[in-house]
Amino acid sequence: MGYICDFCGDQRSMVYCRSDAACLCLSCDRNVHSANALSRRHSRTLLCERCNSQPALVRCSEERVSLCQNCDWMGHGNSTSASSHKRQTINCYSGCPSAAELSSIWSFVLDFPSVGESACEQEMGMMSITENSTENAWDSSENASGSARVNDVPSMDNKPSLWACSSSVPEHNSAAQVLDQPVGSASVTLPKLCCPGTKGPGLCEDDDLYEDFNMDEMDLNLENYEELFGMALNNSEELLENGGIDSLFGTKDMSGADSNCQGAVAAEGSSVGLVNAMQPACSNAASADSVMSTKTEPILCFNTKQAHSNLSFSGLTGESSAGDYQDCGASSMLLMGEPPWCPPPCQENLQSASRSDAVMRYKEKKKTRKFEKRVRYASRKARADVRKRVKGRFVKAGDAYDYDPLNQTRSC
DNA sequence: GAACCGCCTAGAGCCACAAATATGC
DNA sequence: AGGCATATTTGTGGCTCTAGGCGGT
């Protein structure tokens, strides 16, 4: 079981960073990803406890293990008994989340102390919990936390109570509780913490699969980063002794998390709400630069407030520079075939029709969407924009050039 | 079904240099 | 501890090249 931190080679790895393709312990995760703004955007999630090499997408509450997609399929896809296991999606996060925020993302994470101000916060004054970390519709009935059930298939007779993006839930999401945001900025902050599928209330009006949303101005303040990871590190052995990572996965009351999905469901699809695939959230959004192509794949979500669940797609878009966005695997999972929790056959026709329609529209929009690169230094861009080139390469001032952005002329 | 070919796409790398950052005094 | 000078690193856009995917033969 060689699941040792790729960085320090000492501690047990608990977190998987897709951007770095590395398995890290919490301490190294903190160290590595607080290094700079780019690394802070890396989307991380828990490590699969079975293969210890892939990011976990779901947690089986029966077996109390976090599983990657493959292990989940292998463990639950074939066995009829195992396939009935209730599984919850596991969220990704980015930035330097506080204890409370990590607890929000992963309810199973211990109750970290919350005092003081993290170094990361002090340095950055910003961080981001991946908006799709709350992509899941929270289980309001259980105040389920950072996870959402994935195999509780809603039925016609049974309104989905899980996944629910219930708008009856109080207007504060877990992350919002932690963040010290001016009132005026709350609306700006919400989308970041809202299910991508959810977008913000206003963002759900468009019937497009999803709309771009701007995360740039969301500077979130976090607390207790030091305490969180310091404690995690100090207690790592204890955790192992007490059941290892499993001990982290106990249920925790995360009331308020539901609100992450408020307004999340667009009137997309409009079928009988049979789509049951709820994708875990994984994007990293604050910087909005982590949307990779797979990340923009459809994400489905339910709204319990709807008489019939609406199908909605969501994703992150916007001024993302594709570079940083790493696929969390969640979205793509949807495209890899029907998940174990797919709807009953009798509903497939209606569902597939609306779904294919929605997917078609989504793809259309995706084609037209621009993933603009985010420019960090406008002054440098301004210089680059006027710099003369030879075959695209910058040339020394005064040298012959074949392209002048200003004059579109050639000197040779 | 395997092998080969052409076409297409995505991504990496290159370039100069001002700005940003780090280091030393 | 703060200020200054110097050194090092970063980031910027257009073009080219290459690897890989895909479809056809």
Side-chain angles (χ1 to χ4, degrees):
Chain A
M1 298 285 284
Y3 39 92
I4 300 301
C5 172
D6 288 342
F7 193 79
C8 65
D10 184 25
Q11 298 291 328
R12 176 187 179 179
S13 57
M14 293 182 64
V15 172
Y16 184 86
C17 174
R18 294 174 182 277
S19 299
D20 296 323
C23 305
L24 304 170
C25 64
L26 290 178
S27 177
C28 290
D29 174 57
R30 170 262 178 106
N31 291 334
V32 169
H33 293 105
S34 63
N36 56 56
L38 284 178
S39 61
R40 264 179 212 100
R41 299 174 191 166
H42 290 178
S43 177
R44 286 102 71 197
T45 188
L46 288 173
L47 197 59
C48 175
E49 295 180 71
R50 190 150 294 173
C51 65
N52 292 297
S53 62
Q54 295 296 316
L57 295 181
V58 299
R59 171 167 180 79
C60 176
S61 56
E62 309 287 331
E63 301 176 51
R64 300 187 67 192
V65 292
S66 303
L67 302 171
C68 64
Q69 182 178 327
N70 287 339
C71 293
D72 179 41
W73 274 75
M74 292 184 67
H76 299 102
N78 300 326
S79 167
T80 52
S81 59
S83 63
S84 64
H85 288 179
K86 292 184 176 180
R87 303 190 295 286
Q88 301 175 314
T89 56
I90 294 176
N91 301 306
C92 303
Y93 70 95
S94 64
C96 305
S98 68
E101 285 170 328
L102 267 184
S103 295
S104 299
I105 303 168
W106 301 330
S107 60
F108 29 75
V109 172
L110 294 179
D111 189 10
F112 294 104
S114 58
V115 283
E117 198 176 49
S118 74
C120 183
E121 174 188 359
Q122 292 171 338
E123 293 171 6
M124 293 296 294
M126 60 176 288
M127 74 73 61
S128 67
I129 293 292
T130 67
E131 60 287 9
N132 56 1
S133 69
T134 53
E135 180 174 338
N136 312 323
W138 305 93
D139 180 351
S140 58
S141 65
E142 295 183 357
N143 287 328
S145 47
S147 304
R149 294 186 185 179
V150 294
N151 61 345
D152 284 334
V153 180
S155 67
M156 297 291 286
D157 302 328
N158 207 0
K159 291 179 183 179
S161 59
L162 306 173
W163 309 93
C165 297
S166 173
S167 58
S168 62
V169 175
E171 272 277 341
H172 56 283
N173 58 33
S174 56
Q177 292 175 323
V178 179
L179 305 174
D180 181 17
Q181 288 283 325
V183 174
S185 65
S187 60
V188 178
T189 304
L190 282 175
K192 183 186 239 174
L193 301 163
C194 185
C195 320
T198 73
K199 306 180 268 187
L203 294 172
C204 295
E205 294 170 0
D206 193 319
D207 67 347
D208 285 314
L209 294 176
Y210 56 86
E211 287 291 330
D212 297 351
F213 62 92
N214 189 345
M215 311 290 291
D216 290 350
E217 299 174 1
M218 304 176 191
D219 290 344
L220 309 181
N221 295 327
L222 296 183
E223 297 178 328
N224 316 321
Y225 193 83
E226 299 263 14
E227 290 73 31
L228 164 63
F229 288 105
M231 183 283 264
L233 181 61
N234 295 336
N235 294 338
S236 58
E237 290 187 9
E238 180 181 349
L239 289 174
L240 290 172
E241 290 175 3
N242 294 335
I245 196 170
D246 279 348
S247 65
L248 294 174
F249 289 83
T251 57
K252 178 182 177 182
D253 187 325
M254 293 303 299
S255 61
D258 310 12
S259 60
N260 286 332
C261 292
Q262 278 202 341
V265 179
E268 190 76 35
S270 78
S271 78
V272 276
L274 308 175
V275 177
N276 41 6
M278 179 58 190
Q279 299 303 318
C282 293
S283 81
N284 169 355
S287 52
D289 47 337
S290 49
V291 176
M292 298 296 275
S293 58
T294 52
K295 267 197 164 177
T296 60
E297 298 300 341
I299 293 171
L300 309 178
C301 181
F302 281 108
N303 184 347
T304 53
K305 292 280 283 190
Q306 304 291 332
H308 36 265
S309 307
N310 291 330
L311 164 63
S312 74
F313 291 89
S314 77
L316 295 178
T317 85
E319 338 173 286
S320 324
S321 65
D324 250 0
Y325 277 82
Q326 294 292 325
D327 176 21
C328 70
S331 303
S332 59
M333 180 169 68
L334 179 65
L335 302 179
M336 295 181 64
E338 292 297 340
W341 52 88
C342 62
C346 61
Q347 301 172 343
E348 281 182 355
N349 287 343
L350 285 173
Q351 180 180 339
S352 62
S354 60
R355 171 177 167 157
S356 61
D357 181 59
V359 170
M360 189 174 302
R361 279 181 289 157
Y362 157 76
K363 287 182 177 178
E364 284 299 315
K365 181 156 187 171
K366 182 181 176 182
K367 284 181 181 177
T368 62
R369 185 178 300 113
K370 292 192 303 180
F371 292 92
E372 294 181 1
K373 180 180 179 180
R374 178 192 235 184
V375 176
R376 294 178 61 190
Y377 300 103
S379 60
R380 293 179 179 183
K381 173 178 168 56
R383 278 195 49 80
D385 283 340
V386 301
R387 183 163 289 169
K388 297 177 178 62
R389 311 159 191 271
V390 172
K391 292 185 177 180
R393 297 181 178 184
F394 298 130
V395 297
K396 291 181 180 179
D399 283 5
Y401 58 91
D402 65 3
Y403 174 69
D404 181 353
L406 294 179
N407 300 324
Q408 304 288 316
T409 60
R410 294 167 182 268
S411 67
C412 57

PDB file of all heavy atoms in Angstrom, chain A residues 322-345:
ATOM      1  N   ALA A 322      -7.556  27.749 -20.066  1.00  0.00           N
ATOM      2  CA  ALA A 322      -7.677  26.309 -19.912  1.00  0.00           C
ATOM      3  C   ALA A 322      -6.550  25.720 -19.123  1.00  0.00           C
ATOM      4  O   ALA A 322      -6.686  24.681 -18.528  1.00  0.00           O
ATOM      5  CB  ALA A 322      -7.716  25.672 -21.280  1.00  0.00           C
ATOM      6  N   GLY A 323      -5.489  26.365 -19.127  1.00  0.00           N
ATOM      7  CA  GLY A 323      -4.307  25.804 -18.510  1.00  0.00           C
ATOM      8  C   GLY A 323      -4.473  25.233 -17.141  1.00  0.00           C
ATOM      9  O   GLY A 323      -4.093  24.118 -16.907  1.00  0.00           O
ATOM     10  N   ASP A 324      -5.044  25.990 -16.302  1.00  0.00           N
ATOM     11  CA  ASP A 324      -5.046  25.530 -14.937  1.00  0.00           C
ATOM     12  C   ASP A 324      -6.137  24.573 -14.638  1.00  0.00           C
ATOM     13  O   ASP A 324      -6.126  23.891 -13.652  1.00  0.00           O
ATOM     14  CB  ASP A 324      -5.193  26.712 -14.017  1.00  0.00           C
ATOM     15  CG  ASP A 324      -3.912  26.913 -13.310  1.00  0.00           C
ATOM     16  OD1 ASP A 324      -2.998  26.144 -13.555  1.00  0.00           O
ATOM     17  OD2 ASP A 324      -3.835  27.781 -12.517  1.00  0.00           O
ATOM     18  N   TYR A 325      -7.086  24.567 -15.447  1.00  0.00           N
ATOM     19  CA  TYR A 325      -8.213  23.731 -15.141  1.00  0.00           C
ATOM     20  C   TYR A 325      -7.902  22.287 -15.410  1.00  0.00           C
ATOM     21  O   TYR A 325      -7.489  21.909 -16.476  1.00  0.00           O
ATOM     22  CB  TYR A 325      -9.420  24.148 -15.975  1.00  0.00           C
ATOM     23  CG  TYR A 325     -10.119  25.277 -15.344  1.00  0.00           C
ATOM     24  CD1 TYR A 325      -9.686  26.567 -15.512  1.00  0.00           C
ATOM     25  CD2 TYR A 325     -11.198  25.042 -14.527  1.00  0.00           C
ATOM     26  CE1 TYR A 325     -10.336  27.606 -14.915  1.00  0.00           C
ATOM     27  CE2 TYR A 325     -11.866  26.074 -13.932  1.00  0.00           C
ATOM     28  CZ  TYR A 325     -11.428  27.362 -14.122  1.00  0.00           C
ATOM     29  OH  TYR A 325     -12.091  28.392 -13.520  1.00  0.00           O
ATOM     30  N   GLN A 326      -8.082  21.557 -14.439  1.00  0.00           N
ATOM     31  CA  GLN A 326      -7.848  20.138 -14.590  1.00  0.00           C
ATOM     32  C   GLN A 326      -9.167  19.434 -14.442  1.00  0.00           C
ATOM     33  O   GLN A 326     -10.003  19.772 -13.649  1.00  0.00           O
ATOM     34  CB  GLN A 326      -6.886  19.665 -13.509  1.00  0.00           C
ATOM     35  CG  GLN A 326      -5.519  20.267 -13.680  1.00  0.00           C
ATOM     36  CD  GLN A 326      -4.844  19.729 -14.920  1.00  0.00           C
ATOM     37  OE1 GLN A 326      -5.007  18.583 -15.280  1.00  0.00           O
ATOM     38  NE2 GLN A 326      -4.088  20.554 -15.583  1.00  0.00           N
ATOM     39  N   ASP A 327      -9.252  18.452 -15.198  1.00  0.00           N
ATOM     40  CA  ASP A 327     -10.473  17.686 -15.125  1.00  0.00           C
ATOM     41  C   ASP A 327     -10.547  16.969 -13.806  1.00  0.00           C
ATOM     42  O   ASP A 327      -9.644  16.279 -13.395  1.00  0.00           O
ATOM     43  CB  ASP A 327     -10.462  16.669 -16.256  1.00  0.00           C
ATOM     44  CG  ASP A 327     -11.652  15.786 -16.158  1.00  0.00           C
ATOM     45  OD1 ASP A 327     -12.629  16.192 -15.521  1.00  0.00           O
ATOM     46  OD2 ASP A 327     -11.592  14.699 -16.717  1.00  0.00           O
ATOM     47  N   CYS A 328     -11.622  17.158 -13.170  1.00  0.00           N
ATOM     48  CA  CYS A 328     -11.755  16.469 -11.903  1.00  0.00           C
ATOM     49  C   CYS A 328     -12.318  15.095 -12.138  1.00  0.00           C
ATOM     50  O   CYS A 328     -12.475  14.316 -11.231  1.00  0.00           O
ATOM     51  CB  CYS A 328     -12.671  17.226 -10.981  1.00  0.00           C
ATOM     52  SG  CYS A 328     -14.350  17.167 -11.498  1.00  0.00           S
ATOM     53  N   GLY A 329     -12.629  14.821 -13.350  1.00  0.00           N
ATOM     54  CA  GLY A 329     -13.091  13.480 -13.625  1.00  0.00           C
ATOM     55  C   GLY A 329     -14.560  13.318 -13.440  1.00  0.00           C
ATOM     56  O   GLY A 329     -15.153  12.352 -13.871  1.00  0.00           O
ATOM     57  N   ALA A 330     -15.134  14.247 -12.796  1.00  0.00           N
ATOM     58  CA  ALA A 330     -16.532  14.093 -12.484  1.00  0.00           C
ATOM     59  C   ALA A 330     -17.389  14.295 -13.697  1.00  0.00           C
ATOM     60  O   ALA A 330     -18.275  13.509 -13.990  1.00  0.00           O
ATOM     61  CB  ALA A 330     -16.920  15.085 -11.411  1.00  0.00           C
ATOM     62  N   SER A 331     -17.137  15.327 -14.373  1.00  0.00           N
ATOM     63  CA  SER A 331     -17.979  15.625 -15.505  1.00  0.00           C
ATOM     64  C   SER A 331     -17.818  14.594 -16.597  1.00  0.00           C
ATOM     65  O   SER A 331     -18.769  14.159 -17.203  1.00  0.00           O
ATOM     66  CB  SER A 331     -17.616  16.995 -16.045  1.00  0.00           C
ATOM     67  OG  SER A 331     -17.742  17.944 -15.046  1.00  0.00           O
ATOM     68  N   SER A 332     -16.603  14.271 -16.802  1.00  0.00           N
ATOM     69  CA  SER A 332     -16.372  13.332 -17.869  1.00  0.00           C
ATOM     70  C   SER A 332     -17.014  12.002 -17.572  1.00  0.00           C
ATOM     71  O   SER A 332     -17.363  11.251 -18.456  1.00  0.00           O
ATOM     72  CB  SER A 332     -14.876  13.152 -18.073  1.00  0.00           C
ATOM     73  OG  SER A 332     -14.286  12.685 -16.893  1.00  0.00           O
ATOM     74  N   MET A 333     -17.166  11.773 -16.324  1.00  0.00           N
ATOM     75  CA  MET A 333     -17.755  10.506 -15.941  1.00  0.00           C
ATOM     76  C   MET A 333     -19.115  10.344 -16.573  1.00  0.00           C
ATOM     77  O   MET A 333     -19.522   9.263 -16.951  1.00  0.00           O
ATOM     78  CB  MET A 333     -17.863  10.445 -14.425  1.00  0.00           C
ATOM     79  CG  MET A 333     -18.452   9.177 -13.923  1.00  0.00           C
ATOM     80  SD  MET A 333     -18.251   9.049 -12.170  1.00  0.00           S
ATOM     81  CE  MET A 333     -19.300  10.327 -11.596  1.00  0.00           C
ATOM     82  N   LEU A 334     -19.781  11.435 -16.661  1.00  0.00           N
ATOM     83  CA  LEU A 334     -21.116  11.384 -17.214  1.00  0.00           C
ATOM     84  C   LEU A 334     -21.101  10.901 -18.645  1.00  0.00           C
ATOM     85  O   LEU A 334     -22.018  10.237 -19.100  1.00  0.00           O
ATOM     86  CB  LEU A 334     -21.735  12.779 -17.157  1.00  0.00           C
ATOM     87  CG  LEU A 334     -23.128  12.893 -17.715  1.00  0.00           C
ATOM     88  CD1 LEU A 334     -24.077  12.076 -16.855  1.00  0.00           C
ATOM     89  CD2 LEU A 334     -23.544  14.332 -17.773  1.00  0.00           C
ATOM     90  N   LEU A 335     -20.069  11.233 -19.318  1.00  0.00           N
ATOM     91  CA  LEU A 335     -20.026  10.912 -20.728  1.00  0.00           C
ATOM     92  C   LEU A 335     -19.500   9.517 -20.991  1.00  0.00           C
ATOM     93  O   LEU A 335     -19.494   9.054 -22.099  1.00  0.00           O
ATOM     94  CB  LEU A 335     -19.136  11.919 -21.442  1.00  0.00           C
ATOM     95  CG  LEU A 335     -19.598  13.355 -21.259  1.00  0.00           C
ATOM     96  CD1 LEU A 335     -18.639  14.280 -21.982  1.00  0.00           C
ATOM     97  CD2 LEU A 335     -21.018  13.543 -21.724  1.00  0.00           C
ATOM     98  N   MET A 336     -19.079   8.911 -19.973  1.00  0.00           N
ATOM     99  CA  MET A 336     -18.487   7.600 -20.174  1.00  0.00           C
ATOM    100  C   MET A 336     -19.509   6.495 -20.110  1.00  0.00           C
ATOM    101  O   MET A 336     -19.186   5.326 -20.022  1.00  0.00           O
ATOM    102  CB  MET A 336     -17.400   7.356 -19.146  1.00  0.00           C
ATOM    103  CG  MET A 336     -16.253   8.326 -19.325  1.00  0.00           C
ATOM    104  SD  MET A 336     -14.986   8.023 -18.137  1.00  0.00           S
ATOM    105  CE  MET A 336     -14.465   6.390 -18.623  1.00  0.00           C
ATOM    106  N   GLY A 337     -20.720   6.860 -20.124  1.00  0.00           N
ATOM    107  CA  GLY A 337     -21.721   5.823 -20.071  1.00  0.00           C
ATOM    108  C   GLY A 337     -22.590   6.020 -18.870  1.00  0.00           C
ATOM    109  O   GLY A 337     -22.314   6.838 -18.022  1.00  0.00           O
ATOM    110  N   GLU A 338     -23.617   5.283 -18.833  1.00  0.00           N
ATOM    111  CA  GLU A 338     -24.538   5.433 -17.743  1.00  0.00           C
ATOM    112  C   GLU A 338     -23.913   4.956 -16.460  1.00  0.00           C
ATOM    113  O   GLU A 338     -23.392   3.862 -16.370  1.00  0.00           O
ATOM    114  CB  GLU A 338     -25.814   4.641 -18.032  1.00  0.00           C
ATOM    115  CG  GLU A 338     -26.605   5.227 -19.180  1.00  0.00           C
ATOM    116  CD  GLU A 338     -27.079   6.626 -18.867  1.00  0.00           C
ATOM    117  OE1 GLU A 338     -27.142   6.994 -17.686  1.00  0.00           O
ATOM    118  OE2 GLU A 338     -27.400   7.349 -19.807  1.00  0.00           O
ATOM    119  N   PRO A 339     -23.999   5.758 -15.495  1.00  0.00           N
ATOM    120  CA  PRO A 339     -23.486   5.363 -14.209  1.00  0.00           C
ATOM    121  C   PRO A 339     -24.395   4.359 -13.558  1.00  0.00           C
ATOM    122  O   PRO A 339     -25.514   4.142 -13.995  1.00  0.00           O
ATOM    123  CB  PRO A 339     -23.459   6.684 -13.424  1.00  0.00           C
ATOM    124  CG  PRO A 339     -24.510   7.526 -14.069  1.00  0.00           C
ATOM    125  CD  PRO A 339     -24.527   7.119 -15.503  1.00  0.00           C
ATOM    126  N   PRO A 340     -23.929   3.767 -12.523  1.00  0.00           N
ATOM    127  CA  PRO A 340     -24.698   2.735 -11.852  1.00  0.00           C
ATOM    128  C   PRO A 340     -26.042   3.240 -11.377  1.00  0.00           C
ATOM    129  O   PRO A 340     -26.948   2.443 -11.192  1.00  0.00           O
ATOM    130  CB  PRO A 340     -23.814   2.354 -10.660  1.00  0.00           C
ATOM    131  CG  PRO A 340     -22.440   2.792 -11.029  1.00  0.00           C
ATOM    132  CD  PRO A 340     -22.608   3.958 -11.919  1.00  0.00           C
ATOM    133  N   TRP A 341     -26.135   4.501 -11.183  1.00  0.00           N
ATOM    134  CA  TRP A 341     -27.384   5.015 -10.623  1.00  0.00           C
ATOM    135  C   TRP A 341     -28.291   5.567 -11.706  1.00  0.00           C
ATOM    136  O   TRP A 341     -29.103   6.418 -11.507  1.00  0.00           O
ATOM    137  CB  TRP A 341     -27.092   6.078  -9.592  1.00  0.00           C
ATOM    138  CG  TRP A 341     -26.180   7.136 -10.122  1.00  0.00           C
ATOM    139  CD1 TRP A 341     -26.513   8.261 -10.778  1.00  0.00           C
ATOM    140  CD2 TRP A 341     -24.756   7.149 -10.033  1.00  0.00           C
ATOM    141  NE1 TRP A 341     -25.413   8.969 -11.106  1.00  0.00           N
ATOM    142  CE2 TRP A 341     -24.324   8.325 -10.664  1.00  0.00           C
ATOM    143  CE3 TRP A 341     -23.826   6.275  -9.497  1.00  0.00           C
ATOM    144  CZ2 TRP A 341     -22.971   8.647 -10.752  1.00  0.00           C
ATOM    145  CZ3 TRP A 341     -22.490   6.614  -9.596  1.00  0.00           C
ATOM    146  CH2 TRP A 341     -22.080   7.781 -10.205  1.00  0.00           C
ATOM    147  N   CYS A 342     -28.116   5.057 -12.886  1.00  0.00           N
ATOM    148  CA  CYS A 342     -28.923   5.543 -13.979  1.00  0.00           C
ATOM    149  C   CYS A 342     -30.371   5.151 -13.765  1.00  0.00           C
ATOM    150  O   CYS A 342     -30.692   4.263 -13.015  1.00  0.00           O
ATOM    151  CB  CYS A 342     -28.412   5.003 -15.300  1.00  0.00           C
ATOM    152  SG  CYS A 342     -28.503   3.248 -15.405  1.00  0.00           S
ATOM    153  N   PRO A 343     -31.276   5.866 -14.417  1.00  0.00           N
ATOM    154  CA  PRO A 343     -32.688   5.679 -14.168  1.00  0.00           C
ATOM    155  C   PRO A 343     -33.198   4.343 -14.659  1.00  0.00           C
ATOM    156  O   PRO A 343     -32.580   3.697 -15.486  1.00  0.00           O
ATOM    157  CB  PRO A 343     -33.321   6.815 -14.957  1.00  0.00           C
ATOM    158  CG  PRO A 343     -32.354   7.089 -16.038  1.00  0.00           C
ATOM    159  CD  PRO A 343     -31.004   6.836 -15.447  1.00  0.00           C
ATOM    160  N   PRO A 344     -34.354   3.999 -14.184  1.00  0.00           N
ATOM    161  CA  PRO A 344     -34.972   2.757 -14.627  1.00  0.00           C
ATOM    162  C   PRO A 344     -35.223   2.803 -16.124  1.00  0.00           C
ATOM    163  O   PRO A 344     -35.458   3.846 -16.695  1.00  0.00           O
ATOM    164  CB  PRO A 344     -36.298   2.736 -13.857  1.00  0.00           C
ATOM    165  CG  PRO A 344     -36.094   3.645 -12.707  1.00  0.00           C
ATOM    166  CD  PRO A 344     -35.116   4.680 -13.161  1.00  0.00           C
ATOM    167  N   PRO A 345     -35.225   1.655 -16.747  1.00  0.00           N
ATOM    168  CA  PRO A 345     -35.389   1.585 -18.185  1.00  0.00           C
ATOM    169  C   PRO A 345     -36.661   2.232 -18.679  1.00  0.00           C
ATOM    170  O   PRO A 345     -36.676   2.851 -19.736  1.00  0.00           O
ATOM    171  CB  PRO A 345     -35.404   0.080 -18.453  1.00  0.00           C
ATOM    172  CG  PRO A 345     -34.689  -0.515 -17.298  1.00  0.00           C
ATOM    173  CD  PRO A 345     -34.983   0.374 -16.131  1.00  0.00           C
TER     174      PRO A 345
END
